[in-house]
Amino acid sequence: MALTTTDRARVDALLAEMPLSAKLAQLVGAWIGIDSTTGAVAPAQNENMPTSPDWETLARTGLGHITRLYGTRPLDPTDGRTALRRMQSELRRESGIGAIAHEECLTGVATWKATTFPSPPAYGATWDPELIAEVGSAIAASMRALEVHQGLAPLLDVVTDARWGRVEECFGEDPYLVGTLGTAYVRGLEEGGIVATLKHFVAYPASQGGRNLGPVHMGPRELTELLLYPFEMALREGGARAVMPSYSEIDGMPVHGDPALLTTLLREKWGFTGTVVADYFGVNFLQTLHAVSGSKRASAERALLAGLDIELPNADCYPALDTPDLDPEVLAAIDRSVRRVLELKAELGLLDEPTELSDEPVDLNPPAHAALARRVAEESVILLANDGALPLAAPGRIAVIGPNADTAAALLGDYSFTNHVEVHHPDVEPGLTMATILEALRAELDGGTAITHAAGCDVREPGRDGFPEAVRAAQAADVAVMVMGDRAGLFGRGTVGEGCDVDDLELPGEQRALIEAVLETGTPVVLVLVTGRPYALEWAAGRCAAIVQAWFPGQEGASAVAGVLSGRLNPSGRTTLSFPRSAGMMPTTYRHVRLAGKVGVTNLDPTPVFPFGHGLSYTSFERTDLRLSTSEIATDGTVDVSVRVTNTGDRAGVDVVQLYLHDVVAPVTRPEVALLGYARVELAPGESRDVTFQVAADRLAWVGADLEWTVAAHRASLSVGASSGDLTLTAPLTVTGPTRTLGHDRVLLTPVTTA
């Protein structure tokens, strides 16, 4: 919503009359009701927040943000709304200005009783931006009902290392796919009136050793092409109004104190006018983790001068600036940031008394949201391998084995309220009732199929006492469905999630040993993986009868997995994370340059077990007739790329048509293949459709030695296939004409049509 002249005048007047203490109050958050006994949900939380701030003092001075009122402990949504209204009323009475209430919302608003959608790798596996925009809209509706203003999502981190625990919070490893899906999610939030916060800007997933908050060693060209691209797209195409810096330090420069990223690039080059909010305790980390400042005051000065506006989650370093001896440059930075905050509050109506408040009870899991969660889960399940064992034959005898088979929490990611907060409150009634995969499969196959169950082992704890029972169950069955994988958590409490990094990519605990023990029985094994990261599966790929991947599929995920196993659903998910042969391949991406591929100068083969874009179906597809509208394109031109896709099987299905670029010769080394565009295409048996991509020359650009996006004369080729590792149709393309340097207005998207 654009600011009116009246709004700007009000902001000017407020800023002119505020004392320094009131200005600083607008630049901090307050996390009420959390202390060292609550349970850590943020890094170094207990060290940085041993006690909860005093609300009465805060209300008198004013406040920028109210931090996670709903997402800190189980709180009835309607009671929480009443408490929030009381807090806002006190703030307006004392300071005349309400506070921005923010919450986490990666897989739904992270509060008790709210719909929990699948995790972002599952969003990615749908390859369906419009569906993900609907998710953003649904989450926005829930947040509006709670009178929350800002959501701390999405993550636009492009994955380069599967060892990193927060892989399960990311869309995938390709910048275009991350950008388009992330932009769709942002559009859903923003059009629903919620401020989207892009994070983590930038390079968080490229940390040394795949360790959380690790330093980053990456050149500026790769940083721009691989990691910055989705942020640029979501700001320009999605209209996000907030950005959260990364905890990372890049080549020795902590992002929370880097003016080159937060001001020169973000504001001056990209034209961003919203607010930059610190990741939790990120300002203090300039001193305690990065050691680039010697005090809280020095950390605050560095962050503000770099372009960071708001300190979250609490007033920690910024209050140290309430002193008469501030440098004029720091004072100017404070005024600049306060103006940005007040302008956003004007847009959100926080400079006025609220109107039309509803007293209706808050329902955060309405049937429409649950149905949407189920649809996302159904589109996201990936059939990685299948020798004909799936769909399951019925009736028959099925042994359901594994630690994730009969546990509902295994379906949810680390930023779900269940695994993020509720785990610290075991005596509280669960906010959601969810079926497990075992329960869903029994409901799915109730036509005489005999189903037995054995856990076999824990997700990660040692111990093989359950192996004999699992082996006996498999021996007595026609097929063993083994439901294995991860348990999401934080800071070492899970096998994956924030602060749950690994140094190998074997399935956690005794799980591989259990699978191998069951395989030895000779009973066909259908391996169902409910995970947050891709594991090294070369050992299993040739031995299991089928492999199904579900990326923490959310509250409705059990039914989706069961539907794929039974054949009620035809799987349409595609990988957005390559499955490596081993952790020794890390860091890696399918977008590797030639020298990082399979070459004769090394004995190590980095070819993935399952490549980016891979996924099987219960029908078959044929792609034919690749056509380019021209074989020669000017550096400012466009080319239409068309392909015919046909369902050659006997049941309806969805193909994900993928278009890739290969630069044959270019002045800088280029990825062997890079995604240019994609389309989900639903086809009846025997049906054919033409898919056409409109590719602008800007989409063929690279970042040159001068660090500018450049498109120049060169030779390339365009390919279509079933995945990045199975490109069956290729056509040459020559780019001609003068070299062009591109700016922030360059073409970022590849439009696609089907006929």
Side-chain angles (χ1 to χ4, degrees), residues 232-233 235-236 269-272 742-748:
E232 187 175 9
M233 185 185 294
L235 287 173
R236 205 181 84 189
K269 191 169 183 179
W270 288 359
F272 177 63
L742 308 178
H744 181 52
D745 60 348
R746 71 187 189 283
V747 177
L748 297 174

Side-chain angles (χ1 to χ4, degrees), residues 32 48 82 266 452 474 585:
I32 308 297
N48 285 281
T82 299
L266 186 61
T452 57
M585 299 297 101

Side-chain angles (χ1 to χ4, degrees), residues 380-420:
S380 71
V381 177
I382 306 169
L383 182 59
L384 292 175
N386 187 21
D387 69 359
L390 292 181
L392 294 171
R397 297 171 300 166
I398 299 174
V400 179
I401 297 168
N404 278 350
D406 200 28
T407 304
L411 302 170
L412 309 180
D414 68 332
Y415 268 75
S416 67
F417 190 82
T418 299
N419 289 333
H420 198 75

Side-chain angles (χ1 to χ4, degrees), residues 294-651:
S295 67
K296 291 183 184 294
R297 173 174 170 174
S299 297
E301 289 179 344
R302 176 159 181 162
L304 273 165
L305 291 172
L308 192 144
D309 299 311
I310 300 169
E311 182 178 20
L312 295 179
N314 233 41
D316 184 15
C317 298
Y318 277 20
L321 298 177
D322 191 5
T323 176
D325 62 343
L326 284 184
D327 185 281
E329 189 178 6
V330 177
L331 284 169
I334 291 171
D335 282 354
R336 183 177 60 225
S337 290
V338 174
R339 180 179 296 280
R340 292 169 183 157
V341 171
L342 294 178
E343 287 179 348
L344 179 58
K345 288 187 174 186
E347 289 183 16
L348 297 170
L350 288 168
L351 304 186
D352 300 298
E353 289 292 328
T355 59
E356 300 180 2
L357 296 179
S358 171
D359 290 323
E360 291 294 319
V362 179
D363 181 2
L364 296 180
N365 189 27
H369 289 190
L372 180 60
R374 176 172 294 203
R375 183 179 161 203
V376 177
E378 290 176 348
E379 288 194 14
S380 71
V381 177
I382 306 169
L383 182 59
L384 292 175
N386 187 21
D387 69 359
L390 292 181
L392 294 171
R397 297 171 300 166
I398 299 174
V400 179
I401 297 168
N404 278 350
D406 200 28
T407 304
L411 302 170
L412 309 180
D414 68 332
Y415 268 75
S416 67
F417 190 82
T418 299
N419 289 333
H420 198 75
V421 177
E422 204 171 275
V423 67
H424 298 295
H425 303 271
D427 297 331
V428 174
E429 174 191 351
L432 293 173
T433 300
M434 296 173 284
T436 68
I437 290 176
L438 174 64
E439 292 167 343
L441 197 55
R442 281 178 169 154
E444 189 85 25
L445 302 174
D446 63 354
T449 298
I451 295 178
T452 57
H453 169 244
C457 66
D458 187 74
V459 168
R460 69 171 177 178
E461 297 300 324
R464 301 188 179 187
D465 292 348
F467 279 29
E469 181 187 6
V471 167
R472 287 193 298 271
Q475 289 171 332
D478 300 316
V479 62
V481 175
M482 303 197 70
V483 188
M484 318 297 282
D486 280 317
R487 193 66 49 81
L490 283 86
F491 312 119
R493 296 194 297 270
T495 61
V496 72
E498 184 173 0
C500 298
D501 313 308
V502 295
D503 55 11
D504 68 49
L505 291 175
E506 290 290 345
L507 285 169
E510 306 279 5
Q511 293 186 71
R512 175 172 174 174
L514 176 62
I515 296 167
E516 290 180 328
V518 172
L519 283 168
E520 288 298 317
T521 67
T523 300
V525 169
V526 173
L527 178 58
V528 178
L529 296 168
V530 183
T531 72
R533 62 162 57 89
Y535 282 99
L537 298 176
E538 188 173 24
W539 61 273
R543 300 176 66 192
C544 293
I547 303 177
V548 173
Q549 175 67 48
W551 303 109
F552 293 145
Q555 69 178 51
E556 307 295 325
S559 172
V561 171
V564 166
L565 295 175
S566 72
R568 172 175 57 83
L569 299 174
N570 193 352
S572 63
R574 301 292 187 270
T575 60
T576 62
L577 295 161
S578 302
F579 284 72
R581 294 175 183 269
S582 74
M585 299 297 101
M586 297 293 109
T588 189
T589 166
Y590 90 94
R591 286 171 48 97
H592 61 77
V593 298
R594 182 177 300 178
L595 194 59
K598 186 176 181 180
V599 290
V601 296
T602 174
N603 62 305
L604 293 177
D605 181 2
T607 305
V609 178
F610 299 112
F612 175 87
H614 170 75
L616 303 179
S617 171
Y618 294 146
T619 188
S620 56
F621 302 99
E622 183 180 36
R623 300 157 203 88
T624 58
D625 194 20
L626 180 64
R627 309 178 302 280
L628 274 60
S629 60
T630 177
S631 60
E632 187 174 290
I633 180 177
T635 54
D636 61 353
T638 60
V639 57
D640 288 344
V641 183
S642 300
V643 64
R644 174 157 293 184
V645 57
T646 302
N647 182 344
T648 56
D650 58 4
R651 65 176 291 178

